[in-house]
Short mmCIF file of all heavy atoms in Angstrom, two decimals:
data_model
loop_
_atom_site.label_atom_id
_atom_site.label_comp_id
_atom_site.label_asym_id
_atom_site.label_seq_id
_atom_site.Cartn_x
_atom_site.Cartn_y
_atom_site.Cartn_z
N MET A 1 50.58 242.53 139.00
CA MET A 1 50.00 242.05 137.74
C MET A 1 50.51 240.65 137.39
O MET A 1 49.78 239.82 136.87
CB MET A 1 50.36 243.04 136.62
CG MET A 1 49.67 242.75 135.30
SD MET A 1 47.90 243.07 135.43
CE MET A 1 47.36 242.68 133.78
N LYS A 2 51.80 240.43 137.71
CA LYS A 2 52.36 239.12 137.41
C LYS A 2 51.68 238.03 138.23
O LYS A 2 51.43 236.93 137.75
CB LYS A 2 53.86 239.11 137.70
CG LYS A 2 54.68 239.90 136.68
CD LYS A 2 56.15 239.78 136.98
CE LYS A 2 56.98 240.57 135.95
NZ LYS A 2 58.43 240.46 136.25
N SER A 3 51.37 238.35 139.51
CA SER A 3 50.70 237.35 140.35
C SER A 3 49.30 237.07 139.83
O SER A 3 48.80 235.95 139.89
CB SER A 3 50.64 237.82 141.80
OG SER A 3 49.89 239.02 141.89
N LEU A 4 48.65 238.11 139.28
CA LEU A 4 47.31 237.91 138.71
C LEU A 4 47.38 237.02 137.49
O LEU A 4 46.51 236.17 137.26
CB LEU A 4 46.71 239.28 138.33
CG LEU A 4 45.27 239.27 137.80
CD1 LEU A 4 44.32 238.82 138.88
CD2 LEU A 4 44.89 240.65 137.30
N ALA A 5 48.43 237.17 136.70
CA ALA A 5 48.56 236.38 135.47
C ALA A 5 48.77 234.91 135.76
O ALA A 5 48.51 234.06 134.92
CB ALA A 5 49.73 236.92 134.64
N LYS A 6 49.26 234.59 136.96
CA LYS A 6 49.52 233.20 137.31
C LYS A 6 48.23 232.45 137.60
O LYS A 6 48.22 231.23 137.60
CB LYS A 6 50.45 233.14 138.53
CG LYS A 6 51.86 233.64 138.27
CD LYS A 6 52.69 233.56 139.54
CE LYS A 6 54.10 234.10 139.32
NZ LYS A 6 54.91 234.07 140.57
N HIS A 7 47.16 233.18 137.88
CA HIS A 7 45.92 232.54 138.30
C HIS A 7 44.94 232.51 137.13
O HIS A 7 44.25 233.50 136.85
CB HIS A 7 45.33 233.27 139.50
CG HIS A 7 46.20 233.23 140.72
ND1 HIS A 7 46.36 232.10 141.49
CD2 HIS A 7 46.98 234.18 141.28
CE1 HIS A 7 47.19 232.36 142.48
NE2 HIS A 7 47.59 233.61 142.38
N ARG A 8 44.90 231.38 136.45
CA ARG A 8 44.00 231.22 135.31
C ARG A 8 42.55 231.42 135.73
O ARG A 8 41.74 231.97 134.96
CB ARG A 8 44.18 229.82 134.73
CG ARG A 8 43.16 229.41 133.66
CD ARG A 8 43.38 230.16 132.37
NE ARG A 8 44.66 229.80 131.81
CZ ARG A 8 44.89 228.70 131.11
NH1 ARG A 8 43.91 227.85 130.88
NH2 ARG A 8 46.07 228.46 130.62
N GLU A 9 42.22 231.01 136.94
CA GLU A 9 40.83 231.09 137.39
C GLU A 9 40.33 232.53 137.41
O GLU A 9 39.17 232.80 137.10
CB GLU A 9 40.68 230.48 138.79
CG GLU A 9 40.97 228.99 138.86
CD GLU A 9 42.46 228.70 139.02
OE1 GLU A 9 43.26 229.67 139.01
OE2 GLU A 9 42.83 227.52 139.15
N ILE A 10 41.21 233.47 137.79
CA ILE A 10 40.80 234.87 137.84
C ILE A 10 40.47 235.38 136.45
O ILE A 10 39.44 236.01 136.22
CB ILE A 10 41.90 235.73 138.49
CG1 ILE A 10 42.08 235.32 139.96
CG2 ILE A 10 41.55 237.22 138.39
CD1 ILE A 10 43.20 236.05 140.67
N TRP A 11 41.34 235.10 135.49
CA TRP A 11 41.10 235.54 134.12
C TRP A 11 39.86 234.88 133.53
O TRP A 11 39.10 235.52 132.79
CB TRP A 11 42.32 235.22 133.25
CG TRP A 11 43.49 236.11 133.54
CD1 TRP A 11 44.66 235.75 134.13
CD2 TRP A 11 43.60 237.51 133.27
NE1 TRP A 11 45.50 236.83 134.25
CE2 TRP A 11 44.88 237.93 133.72
CE3 TRP A 11 42.75 238.44 132.68
CZ2 TRP A 11 45.31 239.24 133.61
CZ3 TRP A 11 43.18 239.76 132.56
CH2 TRP A 11 44.45 240.14 133.02
N LEU A 12 39.66 233.62 133.86
CA LEU A 12 38.48 232.92 133.33
C LEU A 12 37.21 233.50 133.93
O LEU A 12 36.20 233.68 133.23
CB LEU A 12 38.60 231.42 133.66
CG LEU A 12 37.63 230.47 132.96
CD1 LEU A 12 37.64 230.68 131.45
CD2 LEU A 12 37.99 229.03 133.30
N LEU A 14 36.86 236.58 134.93
CA LEU A 14 36.67 237.88 134.28
C LEU A 14 36.10 237.71 132.87
O LEU A 14 35.28 238.52 132.42
CB LEU A 14 38.00 238.62 134.22
CG LEU A 14 38.57 239.09 135.58
CD1 LEU A 14 39.95 239.69 135.39
CD2 LEU A 14 37.63 240.11 136.22
N ILE A 253 39.86 224.31 129.15
CA ILE A 253 39.59 225.74 129.29
C ILE A 253 39.82 226.19 130.73
O ILE A 253 40.28 227.30 130.99
CB ILE A 253 38.16 226.07 128.84
CG1 ILE A 253 38.03 225.88 127.32
CG2 ILE A 253 37.75 227.49 129.21
CD1 ILE A 253 36.62 225.99 126.79
N GLY A 254 39.53 225.30 131.68
CA GLY A 254 39.71 225.61 133.09
C GLY A 254 41.15 225.52 133.58
O GLY A 254 41.41 225.71 134.76
N GLY A 255 42.08 225.24 132.66
CA GLY A 255 43.49 225.24 133.04
C GLY A 255 44.02 223.90 133.52
O GLY A 255 45.12 223.83 134.07
N ILE A 256 43.25 222.83 133.32
CA ILE A 256 43.73 221.50 133.68
C ILE A 256 44.69 221.06 132.58
O ILE A 256 44.28 220.90 131.43
CB ILE A 256 42.58 220.48 133.81
CG1 ILE A 256 41.41 221.09 134.59
CG2 ILE A 256 43.09 219.20 134.45
CD1 ILE A 256 41.73 221.52 135.99
N ILE A 262 48.66 219.62 136.93
CA ILE A 262 48.29 221.03 137.04
C ILE A 262 46.78 221.18 136.87
O ILE A 262 46.22 220.67 135.90
CB ILE A 262 49.01 221.90 135.99
CG1 ILE A 262 50.52 221.81 136.16
CG2 ILE A 262 48.55 223.35 136.07
CD1 ILE A 262 51.30 222.52 135.08
N GLY A 263 46.15 221.89 137.81
CA GLY A 263 44.72 222.12 137.71
C GLY A 263 44.09 222.25 139.08
O GLY A 263 44.63 221.76 140.07
N THR A 264 42.96 222.94 139.13
CA THR A 264 42.26 223.14 140.39
C THR A 264 40.77 222.84 140.22
O THR A 264 40.25 222.84 139.09
CB THR A 264 42.41 224.59 140.89
OG1 THR A 264 41.78 225.48 139.95
CG2 THR A 264 43.88 224.97 141.04
N GLY A 267 39.14 225.85 138.71
CA GLY A 267 39.37 225.93 137.27
C GLY A 267 38.41 225.05 136.49
O GLY A 267 37.85 225.47 135.47
N LEU A 306 47.83 228.76 125.99
CA LEU A 306 48.21 229.38 127.26
C LEU A 306 48.87 228.36 128.18
O LEU A 306 49.87 228.66 128.85
CB LEU A 306 46.99 230.00 127.93
CG LEU A 306 46.44 231.27 127.28
CD1 LEU A 306 45.13 231.69 127.93
CD2 LEU A 306 47.46 232.40 127.37
N ASN A 307 48.30 227.15 128.23
CA ASN A 307 48.90 226.09 129.05
C ASN A 307 50.31 225.77 128.59
O ASN A 307 51.24 225.65 129.38
CB ASN A 307 48.04 224.82 128.99
CG ASN A 307 46.79 224.92 129.85
OD1 ASN A 307 46.70 225.78 130.71
ND2 ASN A 307 45.83 224.05 129.60
N ARG A 309 52.41 227.60 126.80
CA ARG A 309 53.34 228.71 127.04
C ARG A 309 53.76 228.77 128.50
O ARG A 309 54.92 228.99 128.82
CB ARG A 309 52.70 230.03 126.62
CG ARG A 309 52.62 230.23 125.11
CD ARG A 309 51.90 231.52 124.78
NE ARG A 309 52.60 232.67 125.33
CZ ARG A 309 53.60 233.30 124.73
NH1 ARG A 309 54.03 232.87 123.54
NH2 ARG A 309 54.18 234.34 125.27
N GLY A 310 52.78 228.55 129.39
CA GLY A 310 53.09 228.57 130.82
C GLY A 310 54.07 227.49 131.20
O GLY A 310 55.01 227.70 131.98
N GLU A 311 53.87 226.28 130.65
CA GLU A 311 54.76 225.17 130.98
C GLU A 311 56.16 225.38 130.39
O GLU A 311 57.16 225.07 131.02
CB GLU A 311 54.15 223.85 130.48
CG GLU A 311 52.93 223.44 131.30
CD GLU A 311 52.12 222.37 130.61
OE1 GLU A 311 52.64 221.79 129.64
OE2 GLU A 311 50.98 222.13 131.02
N ARG A 313 57.53 228.28 129.83
CA ARG A 313 58.15 229.35 130.60
C ARG A 313 58.79 228.80 131.87
O ARG A 313 59.88 229.16 132.26
CB ARG A 313 57.11 230.42 130.93
CG ARG A 313 57.73 231.70 131.50
CD ARG A 313 56.66 232.75 131.71
NE ARG A 313 56.03 233.13 130.45
CZ ARG A 313 54.77 232.94 130.17
NH1 ARG A 313 53.99 232.31 131.02
NH2 ARG A 313 54.28 233.31 129.02
N LYS A 314 58.11 227.87 132.51
CA LYS A 314 58.67 227.24 133.71
C LYS A 314 59.92 226.46 133.36
O LYS A 314 60.90 226.45 134.09
CB LYS A 314 57.63 226.31 134.36
CG LYS A 314 56.45 227.05 134.99
CD LYS A 314 55.45 226.07 135.56
CE LYS A 314 54.24 226.80 136.13
NZ LYS A 314 53.22 225.85 136.64
N VAL A 317 62.95 228.73 133.01
CA VAL A 317 63.47 229.18 134.31
C VAL A 317 64.37 228.12 134.91
O VAL A 317 65.45 228.38 135.43
CB VAL A 317 62.30 229.53 135.27
CG1 VAL A 317 62.83 229.76 136.66
CG2 VAL A 317 61.55 230.75 134.76
#
Side-chain angles (χ1 to χ4, degrees):
M1 188 69 179
K2 287 183 180 180
S3 61
L4 184 66
K6 292 179 182 178
H7 297 286
R8 171 72 64 81
E9 296 84 357
I10 295 176
W11 288 110
L12 192 52
L14 292 174
I253 291 172
I256 316 300
I262 300 174
T264 64
L306 288 173
N307 283 344
R309 286 177 61 86
E311 289 165 13
R313 191 176 297 117
K314 291 178 182 177
V317 171

